[in-house]
Amino acid sequence: MSTTGANADPLATLGSLSGVAESVESVRKAVDRVYGHRIMRRRSNEITSEAALRGARGSAALSGADWALEEVRRRTDFSVDDEARVVGAALRLTAEAGQLLSIWRQSPLRVLARLHLVAAADKADEVGRPRQDGESVDEPLIELPLPDTAEVGGRLDGLAQLVIAGSSAPALVTAAVVHGELLALRPFVSHNGLVARAAERIVLVGSGLDPKSVCPAEVGQAEQGRAAYLAAFEGYVSGTPEGMATWIAHCGKAVELGARESTAVCEALQRGAA
């Protein structure tokens, strides 16, 4: 996505694309249903914690570690193999994202670096900074050609400027663009998908759309499946209005499904309290 041009707020332009307004409204209604549930008034912390766990599981599934929820809940050692490390990284990112909300609007690139550091759980030289010329990227889900480091730097700076300046676009649009741009750039040597989805969560929470973080988009992304995720992402990288609208709608559906998941958790808690 190009962040240059005559329009001072390109994200607002995306918000006017055909079909996007409907997605935005549908997401808002789904989120409102969760927040209006009677259980949220008494036990919102429990819903937030459960949403975090389920969101981490969903993000890990998209990155190739498709574990059952109860296995994620039960496991304590996330260092035994590659899949366990992916799940552990997703859990750490979900926990860390909530601590970075106040920094995001002032220094999004600092937040992205921190997210990668947390995901990698490593002190290697390439961790916590954008990749350099000659460094490979471990991101098996995304097989598109890698942008070169000069393009990565320029587009990250453009994305950061848009975040810092703020936008009149709906939160869903901003979150989808942040998510899509990080997937397209793959700015780090590893864990780019996990970081992109954590950054989307930060936008959705920090914007006020989902302030208690109870509508995990990662759940909905996983439920729609990796094939649908990649097909929608191809729309994003195409840069066409139709492709962008497809990606934003896909991200909106993911939030709706995450909201539905938390509504079901509320219902289960309500039945247990009856």
Side-chain angles (χ1 to χ4, degrees), residues 49-64:
S49 295
E50 187 64 19
L53 182 71
R54 294 178 185 224
R57 192 218 72 82
S59 190
L62 287 170
S63 287

Side-chain angles (χ1 to χ4, degrees), residues 157-188:
D157 285 343
L159 189 64
Q161 290 166 17
L162 283 170
V163 171
I164 292 167
S167 172
S168 60
L172 172 63
V173 172
T174 304
V177 167
V178 167
H179 183 169
E181 193 72 348
L182 292 174
L183 275 186
L185 295 177
R186 283 148 288 159
F188 303 108

Side-chain angles (χ1 to χ4, degrees), residues 3 100-118 127-131 149-165 178 181-182 185-188 192 195 199 202-203:
T3 57
L100 298 172
L101 294 170
S102 63
I103 305 172
W104 173 254
R105 284 295 298 272
Q106 285 73 44
S107 185
L109 298 185
R110 179 183 165 195
V111 168
L112 294 175
R114 174 62 185 171
L115 290 174
H116 186 246
L117 186 66
V118 167
V127 170
R129 61 153 174 80
R131 58 185 166 83
T149 55
E151 182 179 354
V152 168
R155 286 171 64 174
L156 280 178
D157 285 343
L159 189 64
Q161 290 166 17
L162 283 170
V163 171
I164 292 167
V178 167
E181 193 72 348
L182 292 174
L185 295 177
R186 283 148 288 159
F188 303 108
N192 289 287
V195 168
I202 288 172
V203 175

